[in-house]
Amino acid sequence: MKGAFALKGNFAYTPACGQLALKPHGILVYEDGRVTGLFDGLPERFKGLPVEDFGDKLILPGLVDLHAHAGQYAYRGLGMDMELLSWLEHTAFPEESKFSDLAYAQEAYSVFVQALARSATTRACLFATLHRPATLALMEMLDQAGMRCFVGKVNMDRNSPDILGETTAQSLAETRLWLEQSAGLAHVKPILTPRFIPSCTDELMAGLGRIQREFALPAQSHLSENLSEVSWVAQLCPNARFYGDAYDQYGLFGGDCPTVMAHCVWSGPEERALMKERGVFIAHCPQSNMNVSSGIAPVKGFLLEGQRVGLGSDVAGGAHLSIFRAITDAIQCSKLRWRLVDQELSALTLPEALYMATKGGGAFFGQVGSFEPGYELDAVVMDDSALPTPRPCTLAERVERVVYLSDGQPCAKYVAGRRLF
Ligand code: GUN
Ligand code: FE
């Protein structure tokens, strides 16, 4: 039982969407890289196993950020009075162009990686920028920090300013070189990242489709985020049946290509049917959807129809990296949607949103995001004594308070069985 150990504390997790499982003063046994089980006491056969005792603290699965832009962390909270396309033009693109300077990129990424490593997030799907050396630097830093992430060198060969452009040939050649140069990393893996359809020519998409099949890579992009973007895509791609079809035409929409699509606020029935059929993961990014005036995604509807859904911070469309914050944002805007838009879809509950933030998004990484047997061990230990109240709280209430009130910083964190702090 090399590397086996046990954790002791108050466990909370969501084995199914909307179902909060609690194990007060439980013991989790971890062996051979997987959770063996969660028990009331240490079973006889595990006597002698080292036990890390977290006393009365809460232990939750590590949170999953299914969509964020590492290259945008440096300017989070800026330019938030603009709609998506203006924000891209006036804030995101000029800021991302700075990552051509490797020294600047290293400084910016080191701040980002420190923040992510300290947070309750254990896995993330990240956009870098189009710059290969900076993207490699980010991947190395994340790997060093012990994080498990997918990271994408962004591809964009049209509708971009001169300061942030690449030709089709450059984009494809740089992508191949980046794949070669990142191949040695143990825990941080590449993910193909066409920025979104307005940024990518058909030729680039076709080339990325070929690379996807050659290297069996996953992919991530943006989909049906904002109304002005959706109508632009309809003009750019008259042959696409709907926005998602413009990815699907190049084999970059689920199926053999594990895919995350961020937002999906305006996805219509055909697009949703294809996402479901192909097992496309939806990254719901509620704060970004509010900041850049995209709208409120029908997430409850996604859950009811059996879509695969996780949460994303979408920094810097979202200003906050905390996935606890994404949970409460998702719940709150689902309530506004229910009241103001569609009385048929009730609001999200905390166990539903916690599920999306853990097991829902975690499924993109394998068996991740739960404490069930066979799962990898991603766990965060939350000390709610920093949130004093004279009122006695049940364990479920303590979980709710931590989600709504904590600053999101765990006191201990395990990623794939390794304790980071
Ligand atoms: N669509 C294309 N690029 C971006 C981006 O950087 N952020 C968001 N929110 N949407 C995008
Ligand atoms: Fe995004």
Side-chain angles (χ1 to χ4, degrees):
M1 287 200 292
K2 194 171 149 284
F5 59 86
L7 301 183
K8 209 169 160 188
N10 293 306
F11 292 86
Y13 61 107
T14 51
C17 187
Q19 185 190 333
L20 183 67
L22 300 168
K23 185 65 98 176
H25 302 292
I27 296 200
L28 180 146
V29 173
Y30 171 82
E31 308 166 278
D32 302 324
R34 301 278 159 176
V35 173
T36 302
L38 189 49
F39 307 98
D40 290 320
L42 191 65
E44 194 56 37
R45 66 184 195 278
F46 298 118
K47 275 264 154 66
L49 212 60
V51 179
E52 196 66 59
D53 189 349
F54 290 105
D56 196 38
K57 296 186 177 71
L58 300 171
I59 307 181
L60 306 177
L63 304 183
V64 178
D65 191 341
L66 207 52
H67 179 72
H69 298 253
Q72 297 180 354
Y73 189 72
Y75 55 94
R76 69 199 185 284
L78 295 177
M80 300 271 76
D81 290 335
M82 283 176 266
E83 228 189 304
L84 174 69
L85 297 179
S86 309
W87 175 77
L88 288 174
E89 182 185 344
H90 296 291
T91 305
F93 290 169
E95 287 290 340
E96 286 187 28
S97 74
K98 296 178 183 170
F99 286 69
S100 62
D101 174 351
L102 185 58
Y104 178 81
Q106 278 168 329
E107 207 179 324
Y109 282 146
S110 100
V111 173
F112 169 76
V113 172
Q114 275 177 48
L116 190 70
R118 277 294 308 149
S119 79
T121 298
T122 52
R123 314 257 171 168
C125 274
L126 302 170
F127 279 50
T129 64
L130 63 79
H131 312 94
R132 176 181 45 81
T135 304
L136 287 165
L138 169 65
M139 293 172 86
E140 278 157 22
M141 284 180 204
L142 289 163
D143 207 62
Q144 282 277 315
M147 296 294 297
R148 300 274 170 132
C149 298
F150 286 108
V151 174
K153 174 225 166 315
V154 173
N155 298 100
M156 45 194 296
D157 71 339
R158 69 172 170 186
N159 296 316
S160 320
D162 290 344
I163 46 165
L164 191 69
E166 45 178 13
T167 65
T168 312
Q170 272 168 351
S171 189
L172 293 171
E174 287 290 291
T175 298
R176 285 182 178 276
L177 197 51
W178 160 65
L179 291 171
E180 213 174 278
Q181 293 176 336
S182 62
L185 293 173
H187 303 309
V188 174
K189 300 292 172 195
I191 181 165
L192 280 183
T193 306
R195 180 171 206 124
F196 68 157
I197 290 295
S199 296
C200 301
T201 60
D202 290 353
E203 197 186 344
L204 176 58
M205 294 297 284
L208 292 176
R210 283 192 294 275
I211 292 175
Q212 189 282 323
R213 287 182 287 283
E214 191 177 326
F215 295 89
L217 292 167
Q220 61 180 353
S221 196
H222 298 92
L223 180 66
S224 300
E225 175 178 2
N226 188 285
L227 283 175
S228 32
E229 169 221 19
V230 172
S231 56
W232 192 15
V233 171
Q235 283 171 25
L236 288 168
C237 307
N239 297 327
R241 292 173 299 151
F242 43 86
Y243 191 158
D245 191 36
Y247 295 106
D248 192 47
Q249 288 173 355
Y250 300 101
L252 300 172
F253 204 65
D256 291 337
C257 172
T259 301
V260 175
M261 285 290 162
H263 305 288
C264 309
V265 176
W266 299 103
S267 295
E270 274 190 289
E271 185 161 282
R272 284 164 68 161
L274 192 62
M275 287 193 285
K276 170 132 193 254
E277 185 188 322
R278 297 289 170 76
V280 170
F281 281 74
I282 298 169
H284 175 47
C285 307
Q287 194 182 127
S288 167
N289 292 343
M290 292 187 271
N291 284 336
V292 295
S293 303
S294 294
I296 312 176
V299 186
K300 185 74 170 214
F302 294 155
L303 295 176
L304 291 172
E305 71 196 28
Q307 304 277 5
R308 310 178 90 167
V309 194
L311 294 183
S313 67
D314 194 25
V315 156
H320 294 268
L321 196 55
S322 165
I323 296 297
F324 285 130
R325 176 72 191 259
I327 292 173
T328 58
D329 287 340
I331 295 170
Q332 288 165 352
C333 68
S334 77
K335 290 176 179 169
L336 291 180
R337 196 175 196 289
W338 177 37
R339 277 286 170 258
L340 303 174
V341 183
D342 181 358
Q343 282 73 47
E344 303 287 307
L345 287 179
S346 60
L348 293 169
T349 63
L350 180 76
E352 286 168 339
L354 185 61
Y355 172 87
M356 292 192 286
T358 54
K359 193 172 173 178
F364 192 70
F365 295 81
Q367 282 195 294
V368 169
S370 181
F371 294 137
E372 293 158 86
Y375 271 69
E376 292 189 55
L377 179 59
D378 282 20
V380 288
V381 182
M382 304 302 297
D383 183 0
D384 60 348
S385 66
L387 303 168
T389 170
R391 178 189 181 285
C393 288
T394 64
L395 185 47
E397 288 173 334
R398 290 175 62 193
V399 171
E400 189 173 1
R401 290 183 86 243
V402 158
V403 170
Y404 273 89
L405 303 176
S406 79
D407 64 1
Q409 301 225 328
C411 60
K413 173 167 171 173
Y414 292 81
V415 182
R418 177 174 159 215
R419 187 168 180 177
L420 300 196
F421 55 84

Coordinates of all heavy atoms in Angstrom, one line a residue, residues 69 72 84 87-88 195-196 222 225 263 288 314, ligand 1:
H69 N -9.3 32.3 -18.5 CA -8.2 32.8 -19.4 C -7.1 33.2 -18.5 O -7.1 34.3 -17.9 CB -8.7 34.0 -20.2 CG -9.8 33.7 -21.2 ND1 -9.6 33.6 -22.5 CD2 -11.1 33.5 -20.9 CE1 -10.8 33.3 -23.1 NE2 -11.7 33.2 -22.2
Q72 N -5.7 36.6 -18.9 CA -6.5 37.8 -18.6 C -6.5 38.1 -17.1 O -7.1 39.1 -16.7 CB -7.9 37.5 -19.2 CG -8.0 37.4 -20.7 CD -9.4 37.2 -21.2 OE1 -10.3 37.0 -20.5 NE2 -9.5 37.1 -22.6
L84 N -19.5 42.3 -24.7 CA -18.4 41.4 -25.1 C -17.5 41.9 -26.3 O -16.3 41.9 -26.1 CB -19.0 40.0 -25.5 CG -18.0 39.0 -26.1 CD1 -17.0 38.5 -25.0 CD2 -18.7 37.8 -26.7
W87 N -15.5 44.9 -25.4 CA -14.5 44.5 -24.4 C -13.3 43.7 -25.0 O -12.2 44.0 -24.6 CB -15.2 43.7 -23.3 CG -14.3 43.1 -22.2 CD1 -13.7 43.9 -21.2 CD2 -13.8 41.8 -22.1 NE1 -12.9 43.0 -20.4 CE2 -12.9 41.8 -21.0 CE3 -13.9 40.6 -22.9 CZ2 -12.2 40.6 -20.6 CZ3 -13.3 39.5 -22.5 CH2 -12.4 39.5 -21.4
L88 N -13.6 42.8 -25.9 CA -12.5 42.1 -26.6 C -11.6 43.1 -27.3 O -10.4 43.1 -27.2 CB -13.0 41.1 -27.6 CG -13.7 39.8 -27.0 CD1 -14.3 39.0 -28.1 CD2 -12.7 39.0 -26.2
R195 N -10.0 30.4 -30.7 CA -10.6 31.4 -29.8 C -12.1 31.4 -29.8 O -12.7 31.2 -28.8 CB -10.0 32.8 -30.1 CG -10.6 33.8 -29.1 CD -10.0 35.1 -29.2 NE -10.1 35.7 -27.9 CZ -9.2 36.2 -27.1 NH1 -8.0 36.2 -27.5 NH2 -9.5 36.6 -25.9
F196 N -12.6 31.7 -31.0 CA -14.1 31.5 -31.3 C -14.2 31.7 -32.8 O -13.2 32.1 -33.4 CB -15.0 32.4 -30.4 CG -15.0 33.9 -30.7 CD1 -16.1 34.7 -30.3 CD2 -13.9 34.6 -31.2 CE1 -16.1 36.1 -30.5 CE2 -13.9 35.9 -31.4 CZ -15.0 36.7 -31.0
H222 N -15.4 29.1 -27.3 CA -16.6 29.8 -26.9 C -17.8 29.5 -27.8 O -17.6 29.3 -29.0 CB -16.4 31.3 -26.9 CG -15.3 31.7 -26.0 ND1 -14.0 31.8 -26.4 CD2 -15.3 32.1 -24.7 CE1 -13.2 32.3 -25.3 NE2 -14.0 32.4 -24.3
E225 N -22.4 32.9 -27.0 CA -22.2 33.6 -25.7 C -23.0 34.8 -25.7 O -23.7 35.1 -24.7 CB -20.7 33.9 -25.6 CG -20.4 34.8 -24.4 CD -18.9 35.1 -24.3 OE1 -18.1 34.6 -25.1 OE2 -18.5 35.8 -23.3
H263 N -20.1 29.1 -22.2 CA -21.2 30.0 -22.2 C -22.5 29.3 -22.6 O -23.4 29.1 -21.8 CB -20.9 31.3 -23.0 CG -19.7 32.0 -22.4 ND1 -19.7 32.6 -21.2 CD2 -18.5 32.1 -22.9 CE1 -18.5 33.1 -21.0 NE2 -17.7 32.8 -22.0
S288 N -19.2 36.2 -15.8 CA -18.8 36.8 -17.1 C -20.1 37.1 -17.9 O -20.2 38.2 -18.6 CB -18.0 35.8 -17.9 OG -17.8 36.1 -19.2
D314 N -14.3 32.1 -16.0 CA -14.1 32.9 -17.2 C -13.3 34.2 -16.9 O -13.6 35.3 -17.5 CB -15.4 33.2 -18.0 CG -15.1 33.8 -19.4 OD1 -14.0 33.5 -20.0 OD2 -15.9 34.5 -20.0
Ligands
GUN1 N1 -15.0 35.1 -27.0 C1 -13.8 35.2 -27.7 N2 -12.8 35.5 -26.9 C2 -13.3 35.7 -25.7 C3 -12.8 36.0 -24.4 O1 -11.6 36.2 -24.2 N3 -13.6 36.1 -23.4 C4 -15.0 35.8 -23.5 N4 -15.8 35.9 -22.5 N5 -15.5 35.5 -24.7 C5 -14.7 35.4 -25.7

